[in-house]
Amino acid sequence: RMTFWVLRLRKPVADQDIPRLLKMNVGVSLLVTSSLGLAAAITFIAGTFGSQLLVPMSLGFGATSIAHCFYTLRPAAVGTIVFGLFPSSLAMLFFGNFDAQMLGVSMISVGLLMMRFVAEQYDQLIQSLLLEDENRRLAHSDPLTGIANRRAIMNALNALAASGSSFGVALLDLDGF
């Protein structure tokens, strides 16, 4: 996965490709975490390791960390918790001794809290982006008319000059306006 992203960094990504790449990222993350969650549950039930709680607990820490990293992709973050953390937690709850059951309950509680945390972080991110857009709009337009203000016009002229385009500027002086 890392190799794929390194190769993608070498060439620009077209705007129309971004939704497809994000969906692919969500799909791959859910596939990987689902596989790991199922493997951890099977490993716990089968008692493959001498320390039966090692794999589910490791996956529990890993799934919460991965979900935190994926908070900008809410479906991937929630899916990581649901498909990565909950299978091994439920296996511990239904097939483990008392200690495993208590850890399973704790992992489910942490997972539910993490889902709430991810949702809250995502909502704050969206709110921040909306406020940033509003600030940009207010800084570059007249509040009464909504027409581009001097700052916006100067930015547009600077961009035209930097691109090497030919253009002209006409000024009108309206007395008594």
Side-chain angles (χ1 to χ4, degrees), residues 72 74 121-132:
T72 56
R74 187 168 29 189
Q121 270 191 311
Y122 182 81
D123 291 342
Q124 287 178 3
L125 174 68
I126 297 300
Q127 186 64 30
S128 172
L129 291 171
L130 291 172
L131 289 172
E132 184 180 311

Side-chain angles (χ1 to χ4, degrees), residues 122-154:
Y122 182 81
D123 291 342
Q124 287 178 3
L125 174 68
I126 297 300
Q127 186 64 30
S128 172
L129 291 171
L130 291 172
L131 289 172
E132 184 180 311
D133 187 54
E134 182 180 357
N135 284 340
R136 188 178 303 109
R137 184 184 54 77
L138 290 172
H140 291 91
S141 65
D142 178 70
L144 180 62
T145 63
I147 298 173
N149 63 13
R150 181 181 177 148
R151 178 181 295 140
I153 292 170
M154 294 306 293

Side-chain angles (χ1 to χ4, degrees), residues 25-139:
N25 196 8
V26 170
V28 168
S29 67
L30 292 179
L31 179 68
V32 169
T33 55
S34 297
S35 301
L36 291 173
L38 185 60
I42 291 169
T43 300
F44 178 80
I45 293 169
T48 307
F49 286 97
S51 178
Q52 194 178 20
L53 297 176
L54 178 68
V55 173
M57 290 305 297
S58 297
L59 183 63
F61 289 122
T64 54
S65 299
I66 292 168
H68 178 71
C69 294
F70 275 146
Y71 85 92
T72 56
L73 297 172
R74 187 168 29 189
V78 172
T80 296
I81 294 166
V82 170
F83 299 118
L85 182 67
F86 288 165
S88 57
S89 301
L90 293 172
M92 291 166 62
L93 189 61
F94 292 115
F95 298 102
N97 61 18
F98 179 76
D99 293 338
Q101 290 173 340
M102 290 300 101
L103 285 172
V105 168
S106 295
M107 286 173 54
I108 290 170
S109 300
V110 166
L112 293 172
L113 289 172
M114 190 65 189
M115 285 195 296
R116 176 73 179 148
F117 174 74
V118 163
E120 196 64 34
Q121 270 191 311
Y122 182 81
D123 291 342
Q124 287 178 3
L125 174 68
I126 297 300
Q127 186 64 30
S128 172
L129 291 171
L130 291 172
L131 289 172
E132 184 180 311
D133 187 54
E134 182 180 357
N135 284 340
R136 188 178 303 109
R137 184 184 54 77
L138 290 172

Side-chain angles (χ1 to χ4, degrees), residues 153-168:
I153 292 170
M154 294 306 293
N155 286 345
L157 290 175
N158 287 334
L160 280 172
S163 70
S165 299
S166 298
F167 64 93

